[in-house]
Amino acid sequence: MKQKLPIEMTENGIHYTLHGNFYFSDLEAPEESHQAIGHYGRMRKAYLEEHRPGLYIRLI
């Protein structure tokens, strides 16, 4: 006889929800905060925009 899995569970302080046969954690991304990226971050951004536009778009 198959054992019925609980739809929701909490383990190690993290809440999980059953989707199909797998449990996925109910984590949320934090609110976006504005951070300065600095000189080298701006240089990397410019390089990606100019030389690797596909990668740049995926990262955004």
Coordinates of all heavy atoms in Angstrom, one line a residue:
M1 N 0.8 -1.2 0.0 CA 0.0 0.0 0.0 C 0.9 1.2 0.0 O 1.8 1.3 0.8 CB -0.9 0.0 1.2 CG -1.8 1.1 1.3 SD -2.9 0.9 2.8 CE -4.4 1.4 2.1
K2 N 0.6 2.2 -0.9 CA 1.4 3.4 -1.0 C 1.1 4.3 0.2 O -0.1 4.5 0.6 CB 1.1 4.1 -2.3 CG 1.8 3.6 -3.5 CD 1.6 4.6 -4.6 CE 2.5 4.2 -5.8 NZ 2.4 5.1 -6.9
Q3 N 2.1 5.0 0.7 CA 2.0 6.0 1.7 C 1.8 7.3 1.1 O 2.5 7.7 0.2 CB 3.2 6.0 2.6 CG 3.1 6.9 3.8 CD 4.4 6.9 4.6 OE1 5.3 6.2 4.3 NE2 4.3 7.6 5.7
K4 N 0.8 8.1 1.5 CA 0.4 9.4 1.0 C 1.4 10.4 1.6 O 1.6 10.5 2.8 CB -1.0 9.7 1.4 CG -1.5 11.0 0.8 CD -2.5 10.8 -0.2 CE -3.1 12.1 -0.6 NZ -3.4 12.2 -2.0
L5 N 2.1 11.2 0.7 CA 3.0 12.2 1.2 C 2.3 13.4 1.6 O 1.3 13.8 0.9 CB 4.0 12.5 0.1 CG 4.9 11.4 -0.4 CD1 5.7 11.8 -1.6 CD2 5.9 11.0 0.7
P6 N 2.8 14.1 2.6 CA 2.1 15.4 3.0 C 2.4 16.4 2.0 O 3.5 16.5 1.3 CB 2.8 15.8 4.3 CG 4.1 15.0 4.4 CD 3.8 13.8 3.5
I7 N 1.4 17.3 1.7 CA 1.6 18.3 0.7 C 2.6 19.4 1.1 O 3.3 19.9 0.3 CB 0.2 19.0 0.3 CG1 -0.7 17.9 -0.3 CG2 0.4 20.2 -0.6 CD1 -2.1 18.3 -0.6
E8 N 2.6 19.7 2.4 CA 3.5 20.7 2.9 C 4.2 20.2 4.1 O 3.7 19.3 4.8 CB 2.7 22.0 3.3 CG 2.1 22.7 2.2 CD 1.4 24.0 2.6 OE1 1.3 24.2 3.8 OE2 0.9 24.7 1.7
M9 N 5.5 20.6 4.3 CA 6.3 20.2 5.4 C 7.3 21.2 5.7 O 7.7 22.0 4.9 CB 6.9 18.8 5.2 CG 8.0 18.8 4.1 SD 8.6 17.2 3.9 CE 10.2 17.4 4.6
T10 N 7.8 21.2 7.0 CA 8.8 22.1 7.4 C 9.9 21.3 8.0 O 9.7 20.4 8.9 CB 8.3 23.1 8.5 OG1 7.3 23.9 7.9 CG2 9.4 24.1 8.9
E11 N 11.2 21.5 7.5 CA 12.3 20.8 8.0 C 13.5 21.8 8.1 O 13.7 22.5 7.1 CB 12.6 19.6 7.1 CG 13.6 18.7 7.6 CD 13.8 17.4 6.8 OE1 12.7 16.8 6.6 OE2 14.9 17.1 6.4
N12 N 14.2 21.7 9.2 CA 15.3 22.6 9.4 C 15.0 24.1 9.3 O 15.7 24.9 8.8 CB 16.5 22.3 8.5 CG 17.1 20.9 8.7 OD1 17.1 20.5 9.9 ND2 17.5 20.2 7.7
G13 N 13.7 24.4 9.6 CA 13.3 25.8 9.5 C 12.9 26.3 8.1 O 12.7 27.5 7.9
I14 N 12.9 25.4 7.1 CA 12.5 25.8 5.8 C 11.2 25.1 5.4 O 11.1 23.9 5.6 CB 13.7 25.4 4.8 CG1 15.0 26.0 5.2 CG2 13.3 25.7 3.3 CD1 16.2 25.6 4.3
H15 N 10.3 25.8 4.8 CA 9.0 25.3 4.4 C 9.1 24.7 3.0 O 9.7 25.4 2.1 CB 8.0 26.4 4.5 CG 6.6 25.9 4.3 ND1 5.9 25.3 5.2 CD2 5.8 26.0 3.2 CE1 4.7 25.0 4.7 NE2 4.6 25.4 3.5
Y16 N 8.6 23.5 2.8 CA 8.6 22.8 1.5 C 7.2 22.5 1.1 O 6.3 22.2 1.9 CB 9.4 21.5 1.6 CG 10.8 21.7 1.9 CD1 11.3 21.7 3.2 CD2 11.7 21.9 0.9 CE1 12.6 21.8 3.5 CE2 13.1 22.0 1.2 CZ 13.5 22.0 2.5 OH 14.8 22.2 2.7
T17 N 6.9 22.5 -0.3 CA 5.6 22.2 -0.8 C 5.9 21.1 -1.9 O 6.8 21.2 -2.6 CB 5.0 23.4 -1.5 OG1 4.9 24.5 -0.5 CG2 3.6 23.1 -2.0
L18 N 5.0 20.1 -1.9 CA 5.1 19.0 -2.8 C 4.5 19.4 -4.2 O 3.4 19.9 -4.3 CB 4.3 17.8 -2.2 CG 4.3 16.5 -3.0 CD1 5.7 15.9 -3.0 CD2 3.3 15.5 -2.5
H19 N 5.3 19.2 -5.2 CA 4.9 19.4 -6.6 C 5.2 18.1 -7.3 O 6.4 17.8 -7.6 CB 5.7 20.6 -7.2 CG 5.3 21.9 -6.6 ND1 4.2 22.6 -6.9 CD2 6.0 22.6 -5.6 CE1 4.2 23.7 -6.2 NE2 5.3 23.7 -5.4
G20 N 4.2 17.4 -7.7 CA 4.5 16.1 -8.3 C 5.1 15.1 -7.3 O 4.5 14.8 -6.3
N21 N 6.3 14.6 -7.6 CA 6.9 13.7 -6.7 C 8.1 14.4 -5.9 O 8.9 13.7 -5.3 CB 7.5 12.5 -7.5 CG 6.4 11.6 -8.0 OD1 5.3 11.5 -7.5 ND2 6.7 11.0 -9.1
F22 N 8.2 15.7 -6.1 CA 9.4 16.4 -5.5 C 8.9 17.5 -4.5 O 7.9 18.1 -4.8 CB 10.2 17.0 -6.6 CG 10.8 16.0 -7.5 CD1 10.1 15.8 -8.7 CD2 11.9 15.3 -7.2 CE1 10.6 14.8 -9.6 CE2 12.4 14.3 -8.1 CZ 11.8 14.1 -9.3
Y23 N 9.7 17.7 -3.5 CA 9.5 18.9 -2.6 C 10.3 20.0 -3.0 O 11.5 19.9 -3.3 CB 9.8 18.5 -1.2 CG 8.8 17.7 -0.5 CD1 8.9 16.3 -0.4 CD2 7.6 18.3 0.0 CE1 7.9 15.5 0.3 CE2 6.6 17.5 0.6 CZ 6.8 16.1 0.8 OH 5.8 15.4 1.3
F24 N 9.7 21.2 -3.2 CA 10.5 22.4 -3.5 C 10.3 23.4 -2.3 O 9.3 23.5 -1.7 CB 9.9 23.1 -4.8 CG 10.2 22.3 -6.0 CD1 9.2 21.5 -6.5 CD2 11.4 22.3 -6.6 CE1 9.5 20.7 -7.7 CE2 11.7 21.6 -7.7 CZ 10.7 20.8 -8.3
S25 N 11.4 24.1 -2.0 CA 11.4 25.0 -0.9 C 10.6 26.3 -1.3 O 10.7 26.7 -2.5 CB 12.8 25.4 -0.4 OG 13.5 25.9 -1.5
D26 N 10.0 26.9 -0.4 CA 9.2 28.1 -0.6 C 10.0 29.3 -0.2 O 9.7 30.1 0.6 CB 7.9 28.1 0.2 CG 7.0 26.9 -0.2 OD1 7.1 26.5 -1.3 OD2 6.2 26.5 0.7
L27 N 11.2 29.4 -0.9 CA 12.1 30.6 -0.7 C 11.7 31.7 -1.6 O 11.3 31.5 -2.7 CB 13.5 30.2 -0.9 CG 14.0 29.0 0.0 CD1 15.5 28.7 -0.4 CD2 14.0 29.4 1.4
E28 N 11.9 32.9 -1.1 CA 11.6 34.1 -1.9 C 12.9 34.9 -2.0 O 13.7 35.0 -1.0 CB 10.5 35.0 -1.2 CG 9.2 34.3 -1.2 CD 8.1 35.2 -0.6 OE1 8.4 36.4 -0.3 OE2 7.0 34.7 -0.3
A29 N 13.0 35.5 -3.1 CA 14.2 36.4 -3.3 C 14.0 37.7 -2.5 O 12.9 38.2 -2.4 CB 14.4 36.7 -4.8
P30 N 15.0 38.2 -1.9 CA 14.9 39.5 -1.2 C 14.5 40.6 -2.1 O 14.7 40.6 -3.3 CB 16.2 39.7 -0.6 CG 17.2 38.9 -1.4 CD 16.4 37.8 -2.0
E31 N 13.9 41.6 -1.5 CA 13.6 42.8 -2.3 C 14.8 43.4 -2.9 O 15.9 43.3 -2.4 CB 13.0 43.9 -1.3 CG 11.7 43.5 -0.7 CD 10.5 43.7 -1.6 OE1 10.6 44.6 -2.5 OE2 9.6 43.0 -1.5
E32 N 14.7 43.9 -4.2 CA 15.9 44.4 -4.8 C 16.4 45.6 -4.1 O 15.6 46.5 -3.8 CB 15.5 44.7 -6.3 CG 15.3 43.5 -7.2 CD 15.2 43.9 -8.6 OE1 15.9 44.8 -9.1 OE2 14.5 43.2 -9.3
S33 N 17.6 45.7 -3.9 CA 18.2 46.9 -3.3 C 19.3 47.4 -4.3 O 19.9 46.7 -5.1 CB 18.9 46.5 -2.0 OG 19.9 45.7 -2.2
H34 N 19.4 48.7 -4.4 CA 20.3 49.3 -5.3 C 21.7 49.3 -4.7 O 21.9 49.8 -3.6 CB 19.9 50.8 -5.6 CG 20.8 51.5 -6.5 ND1 21.0 51.1 -7.8 CD2 21.7 52.5 -6.3 CE1 21.9 51.9 -8.4 NE2 22.3 52.8 -7.5
Q35 N 22.7 48.7 -5.4 CA 24.1 48.7 -4.9 C 24.9 49.2 -6.0 O 24.7 48.9 -7.2 CB 24.5 47.3 -4.6 CG 24.0 46.8 -3.3 CD 24.6 45.4 -2.9 OE1 24.8 44.6 -3.8 NE2 24.9 45.2 -1.7
A36 N 25.9 50.0 -5.7 CA 26.8 50.5 -6.7 C 27.7 49.4 -7.1 O 28.1 48.5 -6.3 CB 27.7 51.7 -6.1
I37 N 28.1 49.2 -8.4 CA 28.9 48.1 -8.8 C 30.3 48.4 -8.9 O 31.1 47.5 -9.1 CB 28.3 47.6 -10.2 CG1 28.4 48.6 -11.3 CG2 27.0 47.0 -10.0 CD1 28.0 48.1 -12.7
G38 N 30.7 49.6 -8.8 CA 32.2 50.0 -8.8 C 32.8 50.0 -10.2 O 32.1 49.7 -11.2
H39 N 34.0 50.4 -10.3 CA 34.8 50.6 -11.5 C 34.9 49.3 -12.3 O 34.5 49.3 -13.5 CB 36.2 51.2 -11.2 CG 37.0 51.3 -12.4 ND1 36.8 52.3 -13.3 CD2 38.1 50.7 -12.9 CE1 37.7 52.3 -14.3 NE2 38.5 51.2 -14.0
Y40 N 35.3 48.2 -11.8 CA 35.5 47.0 -12.5 C 34.2 46.4 -12.9 O 34.1 45.7 -13.9 CB 36.4 46.0 -11.7 CG 37.8 46.5 -11.6 CD1 38.3 47.0 -10.5 CD2 38.6 46.5 -12.8 CE1 39.6 47.5 -10.4 CE2 39.9 46.9 -12.7 CZ 40.4 47.4 -11.5 OH 41.7 47.9 -11.5
G41 N 33.2 46.5 -12.1 CA 31.8 46.1 -12.5 C 31.3 46.8 -13.7 O 30.7 46.2 -14.6
R42 N 31.5 48.1 -13.8 CA 31.1 48.9 -14.9 C 31.9 48.5 -16.2 O 31.4 48.4 -17.3 CB 31.2 50.4 -14.7 CG 30.2 50.9 -13.7 CD 30.2 52.4 -13.6 NE 31.5 53.0 -13.2 CZ 31.9 53.2 -12.0 NH1 31.1 52.9 -11.0 NH2 33.1 53.7 -11.7
M43 N 33.2 48.2 -16.0 CA 34.0 47.8 -17.1 C 33.5 46.4 -17.6 O 33.4 46.2 -18.8 CB 35.5 47.6 -16.7 CG 36.2 49.0 -16.5 SD 37.9 48.8 -15.9 CE 38.7 47.7 -17.0
R44 N 33.2 45.5 -16.7 CA 32.7 44.2 -17.2 C 31.4 44.3 -17.9 O 31.1 43.7 -18.9 CB 32.6 43.3 -15.9 CG 32.0 41.9 -16.2 CD 32.9 41.1 -16.9 NE 32.4 39.7 -17.1 CZ 32.8 38.8 -17.9 NH1 33.8 39.1 -18.7 NH2 32.3 37.6 -18.0
K45 N 30.5 45.2 -17.4 CA 29.2 45.4 -18.0 C 29.4 46.0 -19.4 O 28.7 45.5 -20.4 CB 28.4 46.4 -17.2 CG 27.0 46.7 -17.8 CD 26.2 47.6 -16.9 CE 24.9 47.9 -17.5 NZ 24.8 49.2 -18.1
A46 N 30.3 46.9 -19.6 CA 30.5 47.5 -20.9 C 31.1 46.4 -21.9 O 30.7 46.4 -23.0 CB 31.5 48.7 -20.8
Y47 N 32.0 45.6 -21.4 CA 32.6 44.5 -22.2 C 31.5 43.6 -22.6 O 31.4 43.2 -23.8 CB 33.6 43.8 -21.4 CG 34.0 42.5 -22.1 CD1 34.9 42.5 -23.2 CD2 33.5 41.3 -21.7 CE1 35.3 41.3 -23.8 CE2 33.9 40.1 -22.4 CZ 34.8 40.1 -23.4 OH 35.1 39.0 -24.1
L48 N 30.6 43.1 -21.7 CA 29.6 42.2 -22.1 C 28.6 42.8 -23.1 O 28.2 42.1 -24.0 CB 28.8 41.7 -20.8 CG 29.6 40.8 -19.9 CD1 28.8 40.6 -18.6 CD2 29.9 39.5 -20.5
E49 N 28.2 44.1 -22.9 CA 27.3 44.7 -23.8 C 27.9 44.8 -25.2 O 27.1 44.6 -26.2 CB 27.0 46.2 -23.3 CG 26.0 46.2 -22.2 CD 25.8 47.6 -21.7 OE1 26.7 48.4 -21.6 OE2 24.6 47.9 -21.5
E50 N 29.2 45.1 -25.3 CA 29.8 45.2 -26.6 C 30.2 43.9 -27.3 O 30.0 43.7 -28.5 CB 31.0 46.1 -26.5 CG 31.6 46.5 -27.8 CD 32.8 47.5 -27.7 OE1 32.8 48.2 -26.6 OE2 33.6 47.5 -28.6
H51 N 30.8 43.0 -26.5 CA 31.4 41.8 -27.1 C 30.6 40.5 -26.9 O 30.8 39.6 -27.6 CB 32.8 41.6 -26.5 CG 33.7 42.7 -26.9 ND1 34.2 42.9 -28.1 CD2 34.2 43.7 -26.1 CE1 35.0 44.0 -28.1 NE2 35.0 44.5 -26.9
R52 N 29.7 40.5 -25.9 CA 28.9 39.3 -25.6 C 27.5 39.6 -25.3 O 27.0 39.4 -24.2 CB 29.5 38.6 -24.3 CG 31.0 38.2 -24.4 CD 31.3 37.0 -25.3 NE 30.6 35.8 -25.0 CZ 30.9 34.9 -24.1 NH1 32.0 35.0 -23.4 NH2 30.1 33.9 -23.9
P53 N 26.8 40.2 -26.3 CA 25.4 40.7 -26.0 C 24.4 39.6 -25.6 O 23.5 39.8 -24.8 CB 25.0 41.3 -27.3 CG 25.9 40.8 -28.4 CD 27.2 40.4 -27.6
G54 N 24.6 38.4 -26.1 CA 23.7 37.3 -25.7 C 23.9 37.0 -24.2 O 22.9 36.8 -23.5
L55 N 25.1 36.8 -23.8 CA 25.3 36.6 -22.4 C 24.8 37.7 -21.5 O 24.2 37.5 -20.4 CB 26.8 36.3 -22.1 CG 27.3 36.1 -20.7 CD1 26.6 34.9 -20.1 CD2 28.8 36.0 -20.6
Y56 N 25.0 38.9 -21.9 CA 24.6 40.1 -21.2 C 23.1 40.1 -21.0 O 22.6 40.3 -19.9 CB 25.0 41.4 -21.9 CG 24.5 42.6 -21.2 CD1 25.0 43.1 -20.0 CD2 23.5 43.4 -21.8 CE1 24.5 44.2 -19.4 CE2 23.0 44.5 -21.2 CZ 23.5 44.9 -20.0 OH 23.0 46.0 -19.4
I57 N 22.3 39.8 -22.1 CA 20.9 39.7 -22.0 C 20.4 38.6 -21.1 O 19.5 38.8 -20.3 CB 20.3 39.5 -23.4 CG1 20.6 40.7 -24.3 CG2 18.8 39.2 -23.3 CD1 20.0 42.0 -23.8
R58 N 21.1 37.4 -21.1 CA 20.7 36.3 -20.2 C 20.9 36.7 -18.8 O 20.2 36.3 -17.9 CB 21.5 35.1 -20.6 CG 20.9 34.4 -21.8 CD 21.6 33.0 -21.9 NE 23.0 33.1 -21.8 CZ 23.9 32.5 -22.5 NH1 23.5 31.6 -23.4 NH2 25.2 32.7 -22.3
L59 N 22.0 37.4 -18.5 CA 22.3 37.8 -17.1 C 21.4 38.8 -16.6 O 21.1 38.9 -15.4 CB 23.8 38.3 -17.0 CG 24.9 37.3 -17.2 CD1 26.2 38.0 -17.3 CD2 24.8 36.3 -16.1
I60 N 20.9 39.7 -17.4 CA 19.9 40.7 -17.0 C 18.6 40.0 -16.7 O 18.0 40.1 -15.8 CB 19.7 41.8 -18.1 CG1 21.0 42.5 -18.3 CG2 18.6 42.7 -17.8 CD1 21.1 43.9 -18.0

